[in-house]
Amino acid sequence: MSPSTAPSGTESPASGPSVASGAPVPGPTAPPPPQPSGVPAVPAAPSSAAGVVELLRAAAQAGPLTELRIGDRPFVLATGPDQTQQILAKRPDVYVKHGHRARPLLGDGLISASGDAWKRQRKLFQARFTVAGTRRWAHHITAAAERIAARWETAADTGTSVDLGRDMRFFALDTIWRTLTGTPLDEVTERELEAVDAVVASLPTLAGARPDPALAVDDALRQIDTTAHRVIGLARARRAEARPEGAPHLLDLLLDTAETRAEYTDRLIRDELVTLLVAGHETTAQTLCWLFVLLDRHPEVHDRFLTGYEAAADPAGRDALLGALVQETLRLYPAVWLVPRHAARDDVLDGLPIPAGTSVLTCPYLTHRSPELWPDPERFDPARFLPDGRRPQHPAAFQPFGIGARACLGQHFALQEMLTLLRLLLPAYRPRLTTPPRGAVFGANLRPDGPVRGTLTAVRP
């Protein structure tokens, strides 16, 4: 069964789910540790990273809290919503970030920071990404969306094929670039920022895994540094000529802060800039791409959407339909599919002793597909997220942006981006994929395997 005809939310069984090739899990297999009473044992994993997803899936079948080994490393996996909530939301001082796998790329930026430094860094940006704060970026989001809509209009008129993955990436990068700098993304900078994708693709599935020597990314990291320092220098030169008032863009906010807070060195400004670039486009681009893949697999869902959209009485009703599509896509394909934590001290979780130093995993991908939480979980059914839809109410049953203090700061921004673009594209064009993805890549993020290309048919004049 090809990916285009596989049941919704599943990957091609011919090849199985793939894992980023740069994500090996080190060490030989080893027998699992003794299991406490009532906690199911899970067989040891193969040393290849390709076995990680299936091992986690097997562990989730065994129970909501499971001890297992991946290679020679012991882990505790939590997929139940109660256990996930304890780890991420109720005990964040016990289950902490440790040894972030993206540190070579992000440095000490917000995502990889911890402790008091993280609290200070998050506070700096928080007001800019609330529901109200996101409104200040609406004109940038709209301009970036209109740019893609113009591309699609030309492609539909001329019969030219489109690379949906690239268009969604360009839209998301253009939006965050405007938010950072106040200027549209140009083609030269877009090519330079391809280095970001190369580094993200090389990141290991699990922190602490040895990188694949075949995927050396030193040149890509140097390119990222060059681009970041160039744009920081240009911003400083612009500010020297005419200083803006009120930090209109995020890079201005960082440069203003550096004048009064010594910890905001050039290196930290670079780290925050790159962190915002990565976090500000990855989830949006991947989610939008998956959404078009799912609609192509399920034309009947697309038909129902178009009928409902035309019949909706007001913009709020139309946005509810768009939002349901986005949320169901995020359920099946959460970009952050695996969330690692480190036990900072001894704890007991659901009766299971967790010694200090234990590596703990939560897995939104598996929680979102639990039949105990979601009826017919593999089915693509956006109606779950309509006002009268059936969906679990537990706060950790649906967590595409995380939960707790470290939930994604930019979730309102990302949702606004996606709605803005989809308002322009979905009612007007129907993509038909000529090159669907081969499956899913379970690396540092969850992304389509291979290019996603297609042709566009205008739905209305």
Side-chain angles (χ1 to χ4, degrees), residues 265-351:
T265 61
D266 282 359
R267 181 65 196 185
L268 183 55
I269 293 171
R270 174 266 177 215
D271 291 348
E272 293 289 40
L273 174 65
V274 174
T275 294
L276 289 165
L277 273 172
V278 173
H281 90 277
E282 275 286 333
T283 294
T284 299
Q286 305 300 354
T287 302
L288 287 167
C289 193
W290 280 121
L291 188 150
F292 286 113
V293 169
L294 287 166
L295 288 177
D296 185 71
R297 289 178 184 173
H298 302 281
E300 74 286 355
V301 175
H302 203 158
D303 291 341
R304 286 198 299 270
F305 164 78
L306 290 172
T307 299
Y309 198 85
E310 290 297 327
D314 53 36
R318 293 191 285 273
D319 277 357
L321 291 168
L322 289 171
L325 284 173
V326 170
Q327 301 283 47
E328 179 69 346
T329 302
L330 284 164
R331 183 185 71 83
L332 288 169
Y333 293 103
V336 180
W337 70 278
L338 188 66
V339 181
R341 287 293 185 264
H342 175 84
R345 61 176 185 265
D346 291 349
D347 193 30
V348 177
L349 184 62
D350 219 21

Side-chain angles (χ1 to χ4, degrees), residues 219-242:
D219 289 345
L221 288 170
R222 280 192 288 270
Q223 178 61 71
I224 292 165
D225 285 348
T226 297
T227 301
H229 289 303
R230 173 173 59 81
V231 73
I232 292 167
L234 290 171
R236 282 191 167 128
R238 170 179 52 81
R239 288 160 60 87
E241 293 180 2

Side-chain angles (χ1 to χ4, degrees), residues 5-31:
T5 57
S8 57
T10 63
E11 319 315 329
S12 171
S15 59
S18 58
V19 178
S21 57
V25 177
T29 60

Side-chain angles (χ1 to χ4, degrees), residues 392-413:
Q393 297 305 305
H394 195 293
F398 180 63
Q399 39 164 326
F401 296 101
I403 58 172
R406 294 202 70 132
C408 176
L409 185 67
Q411 59 183 294
H412 301 301
F413 182 87

